[in-house]
Amino acid sequence: MRRSHVSLIAIVLMLGSSVSSAWGADKLRVVTTIPDLKSLAEAVGGDRVEVDSLTRGTQNFHEAEVRPSMMLKLRRADLLIENGLDLDAWVDVAVLGANNPKIIRGAPGRVDVSRGIPVLEVPSVRVDRSMGDVHPLGNPHFSLDPGLAPLITQTILDGLARLAPDHRAAFERNRRDFLSRLDGEMSRWTKTMEPLKGAKVVVFHPDFIYFVHRFELVQAGTVEDKPGIPPSPQHVVRLIRQIKEEKIKAILVEPWNDVKLAQRIAEEAGAKAIVFASAVGAVKGADNYIAAIDYNIKTLAEALR
Ligand SMILES: [Zn+2]
């Protein structure tokens, strides 16, 4: 009895020390809303940060559910990095529940990486629900456009350095190293995609527009005729005809889309449905920022060949 009591205390002490070393006193506790930003925050923060994401890459970020576990992470956070543009607006509810003044909107511990992003697909008319899940502030899925990484990592660096000014030089060094690695990859990616310039693709849901623009592809259509709403049979028939006529080779799908429907359409039209790494961790092998983009380039180049 007494022995088990003692060992229980030992276990509790061990747990306590492993928790405090994971959340080392000198490390900034960073929470991001999506895994792409976790990967970038780790690249900039290096060993001076401990980063946790509120969602996983296999999730539809628009529809993330606020859970008590999110509030727990946010309660201990020094810095909250959000995507913005309404992708992760649910985080405000979680922050409210976390009761942590350090990360409320306007506090030094709050970073919105959409600041300064040249936003695509900003609606020119007032958006309402009858139009489907139209992105009301423009397309928020910019995080995996490698051309925007310099801007996003600068915003992250500013946030980290605001809280830990002594480490600014280290953050700058980390960011420079990361961007020079990314640069090397970028020239490889550009070379791979060069002969495919102007190629038409169909997307299931309009989530790849930044990628499509960056590599000078053309988005010829969407499987959903209204974003977020299953397509009508007439739309599917029209789309199959269009894919055949325009000899489109690829349909880009996210893991949570109706992959079977995309495959059926692709099969009938003589194209290929490919599940894209729509985020870090969305597919196997896409477990960090560079790996996710690399996965997309490889899969797409193969499908378009
Ligand atoms: Zn979206």
Side-chain angles (χ1 to χ4, degrees):
M1 180 80 185
R2 200 163 151 224
R3 245 187 91 163
S4 68
H5 196 75
V6 169
S7 56
L8 187 66
I9 289 172
I11 288 168
V12 169
L13 284 175
M14 265 167 52
L15 278 175
S17 69
S18 73
V19 166
S20 65
S21 66
W23 288 115
D26 52 334
K27 289 194 183 192
L28 284 175
R29 300 168 187 185
V30 180
V31 172
T32 66
T33 53
I34 65 171
D36 307 6
L37 301 180
K38 173 178 191 279
S39 191
L40 292 176
E42 282 169 344
V44 178
D47 54 8
R48 285 165 182 83
V49 296
E50 200 66 52
V51 193
D52 212 337
S53 171
L54 296 178
T55 55
R56 284 190 308 271
T58 46
Q59 259 176 288
N60 178 351
F61 301 139
H62 287 291
E63 289 172 6
E65 227 177 286
V66 172
R67 296 167 188 280
S69 60
M70 284 186 181
M71 297 180 192
L72 273 177
K73 286 177 185 175
L74 290 169
R75 186 166 306 202
R76 290 143 41 103
D78 298 310
L79 188 72
L80 167 60
I81 303 174
E82 67 187 316
N83 184 85
L85 297 180
D86 215 43
L87 179 71
D88 42 10
W90 41 262
V91 78
D92 280 322
V93 178
V95 167
L96 209 65
N99 194 24
N100 176 357
K102 285 194 282 189
I103 55 164
I104 56 172
R105 207 166 281 287
R110 185 73 171 257
V111 169
D112 179 343
V113 299
S114 71
R115 204 183 59 196
I117 297 284
V119 182
L120 300 176
E121 295 180 342
V122 179
S124 53
V125 292
R126 238 187 111 87
V127 169
D128 70 71
R129 296 304 287 182
S130 73
M131 300 157 81
D133 285 333
V134 177
H135 301 124
L137 304 174
N139 196 308
H141 304 280
F142 56 81
S143 55
L144 281 188
D145 173 356
L148 293 177
L151 183 57
I152 299 172
T153 51
Q154 182 62 56
T155 307
I156 292 174
L157 186 148
D158 291 342
L160 290 172
R162 198 158 58 222
L163 298 187
D166 293 352
H167 295 323
R168 176 176 274 277
F171 297 144
E172 279 170 352
R173 208 165 41 239
N174 293 343
R175 174 172 176 268
R176 261 200 313 276
D177 290 350
F178 172 74
L179 289 181
S180 84
R181 258 185 63 212
L182 187 69
D183 253 7
E185 300 288 343
M186 189 66 170
S187 41
R188 223 167 36 77
W189 294 331
T190 311
K191 220 164 137 195
T192 305
M193 295 303 287
E194 179 72 33
L196 304 171
K197 260 187 197 171
K200 290 179 179 173
V201 294
V202 163
V203 299
F204 197 100
H205 177 85
D207 277 9
F208 304 114
I209 195 68
Y210 292 89
F211 185 91
V212 163
H213 274 219
R214 182 65 55 196
F215 295 103
E216 296 180 57
L217 304 165
V218 176
Q219 182 175 306
T222 57
V223 173
E224 299 169 332
D225 42 354
K226 285 178 180 181
I229 297 172
S232 65
Q234 298 91 309
H235 177 72
V236 170
V237 170
R238 264 198 313 270
L239 184 67
I240 291 173
R241 199 186 312 134
Q242 186 196 359
I243 296 174
K244 279 183 181 165
E245 278 173 10
E246 299 178 14
K247 298 190 169 54
I248 297 167
K249 290 183 179 163
I251 303 177
L252 311 187
V253 192
E254 290 160 278
W256 57 82
N257 294 147
D258 187 345
V259 179
K260 285 224 170 75
L261 172 63
Q263 280 165 342
R264 210 156 48 76
I265 294 171
E267 218 166 277
E268 242 177 272
K272 229 186 245 171
I274 53 177
V275 177
F276 237 42
S278 45
V280 169
V283 296
K284 235 179 153 176
D287 48 358
N288 63 58
Y289 189 82
I290 289 178
I293 297 163
D294 195 55
Y295 179 93
N296 288 343
I297 296 281
K298 270 190 198 139
T299 334
L300 188 60
E302 169 119 14
L304 293 179
R305 200 161 287 141

